[in-house]
Each structure stands twice: as C-alpha cells, then as structure tokens.
Amino acid sequence: MLVLPKGVRHMPAYLSRTVQEELVDEVRRIVQQAPLFVPAMPRTGKEMSVRMTNCGPLGWVTDKEHGYRYQPAHPLTGAPWPPIPDALLDLWREVSGYPHPPEACLINFYTADAKMGLHQDRDETDFSAPVVSVSLGDDCLFRVGQTTRDGATKSFRLQSGDVVVLGGEGRLCFHGVDRIYPSTSALLKNGGRINLTLRRVTKPAVTAS
Ligand code: SIN
Ligand code: FE2
C-alpha cells in the first residue's frame, strides 16, 4: 500500500457516476458564465498548460503583472464568479472537518498534454482549512511530496470520482500533475480531465459564543 504524507488523504471512487455527471453539467454552466482563461506565471508571463475558471465568492487567478491572487471577479469579464454548486458544498461538509464553507473553487481543465508543476497551495490566509480536490474525466498521474520542495515525492494515479484532501500537516505539501492518460474515461465527451479544488481563503470572523 502506498503510504502518503500525514494529512494527505486519497479517497478513490468517492463520487458516484451520477454525481460526477451532475458536476460536469454544473461545470459546463459555470464555464458559460465565467469563460476559461489562460493563466500565466508571475513575472515571466509564461502560460500554464491548463485552462482555468472559478466559482465561489473568490477565485484564484494569475498573470504576468500581478501574480497569484484571489479576487471576487473574473479577470476578463469583470463579473462575479458563479456560486459553488451544492454538490460541492455537501462534499466539503462531508470530508473537510472544517466548520465554515469554502470560498473558492478553482476549476482546472487539462487536455491530453497539459500538466501542473510541483507547487504548494499557499495563497490563502487560513491554512487550518484543508484543500479538497475532485478529479473528473481522464486519469492523471498525481505527485505529492513534503512541505519542502526537495522532499521525497510519491506518485499515484487519480481517476474520475476520486477525492484528495490535503489537510493538517499535509496542508502545505507540494503536489502536481505529471501527466494525463488520454481516453481512460468516457465522462467528458471530448476527453481530458477536470480538477475542482475547494479552498477556504480567509479566516472566518470570530463570533461571540
Ligand atoms: C492543483 O493543484 O491546482 C491541481 C491538482 C489536480 O489537478 O489534481
Ligand atoms: Fe494545488
């Protein structure tokens, strides 16, 4: 059995085929309102191979001029991001162990040759909430490491319906997508992979108890 770093959970086949299909329909509706954009690396402006959009009160964006950040509006249309679908809010309640809702859902589209370099998710101000990530469509080779870039890494395959949680000591583990395995799923008509990443961005306001 593959032993993952503490706080990193892989839940294979967590979502039923029906829920996966519902999510794909939701993503299509979101993309109609909030078109996919091409993310670019800070400073160099090098384009990433994935295409992105978001739903939720905040969305993660990146470009040459302003770098990685969260913002309430789409970078091209200026419109607020569409809301996070209920099925994803339900998933967050089930697996996050965190008492407040996620604020951002990043939607990544991978074509057959897209990948994502090893990185940490660290643009949030609240690391006490986990990152919850959903895979839809074609399989990918996912890599997860330690909380330092040079730490040992492990790779495993993610399939449609799998959920990965990076929480607790694993919240800041490096991770990335080495490759897509084309034509391994029939969920998306035109192939490819969708990843949905739910995150809490801000610390919740302290309320009197
Ligand atoms: C990400 O870390 O933003 C994406 C991870 C994935 O595609 O599984
Ligand atoms: Fe990430």
Side-chain angles (χ1 to χ4, degrees):
M1 201 194 108
L2 186 74
V3 178
L4 296 175
K6 268 213 178 92
V8 177
R9 270 192 293 159
H10 174 207
M11 298 145 90
Y14 188 85
L15 300 174
S16 69
R17 175 75 187 203
T18 309
V19 172
Q20 293 174 45
E21 286 169 2
E22 271 170 38
L23 285 175
V24 172
D25 289 344
E26 295 280 8
V27 168
R28 287 194 206 293
R29 280 192 281 274
I30 291 165
V31 170
Q32 281 167 13
Q33 295 173 58
L36 295 171
F37 61 90
V38 183
M41 301 297 285
R43 293 180 298 279
T44 62
K46 187 178 178 335
E47 290 182 357
M48 296 170 69
S49 56
V50 296
R51 298 294 173 259
M52 290 183 174
T53 189
N54 289 269
C55 55
L58 292 171
W60 189 87
V61 300
T62 176
D63 55 32
K64 181 179 196 291
E65 292 74 26
H66 306 289
Y68 301 156
R69 64 199 187 274
Y70 283 95
Q71 60 182 45
H74 191 284
L76 303 176
T77 69
W81 305 104
I84 299 177
D86 285 340
L88 291 174
L89 297 175
D90 291 346
L91 171 69
W92 176 268
R93 275 189 290 271
E94 286 165 24
V95 305
S96 73
Y98 186 80
H100 306 279
E103 294 172 299
C105 176
L106 173 64
I107 301 172
N108 287 138
F109 271 87
Y110 295 79
T111 50
D113 52 1
K115 49 187 157 213
M116 173 138 348
L118 211 61
H119 66 278
Q120 289 173 299
D121 287 11
R122 54 175 315 143
D123 301 314
E124 302 74 34
T125 52
D126 193 353
F127 294 143
S128 62
V131 171
V132 174
S133 144
V134 174
S135 293
L136 297 170
D138 286 337
D139 296 5
C140 78
L141 187 62
F142 186 73
R143 181 184 292 272
V144 63
Q146 314 295 316
T147 54
T148 52
R149 182 171 284 283
D150 56 1
T153 64
K154 290 194 166 123
S155 299
F156 55 98
R157 216 161 154 136
L158 289 181
Q159 297 188 301
S160 195
D162 287 10
V163 172
V164 173
V165 180
L166 304 183
E169 288 175 53
R171 173 62 181 76
L172 291 173
C173 280
F174 278 84
H175 59 279
V177 171
D178 289 349
R179 62 161 298 191
I180 301 294
Y181 296 98
S183 310
T184 46
S185 163
L187 187 72
L188 305 177
K189 276 198 292 290
N190 299 320
R193 173 174 184 265
I194 297 173
N195 170 256
L196 308 172
T197 303
L198 295 160
R199 306 193 190 101
R200 179 79 199 184
V201 179
T202 67
K203 286 194 170 56
V206 179
T207 51
S209 54

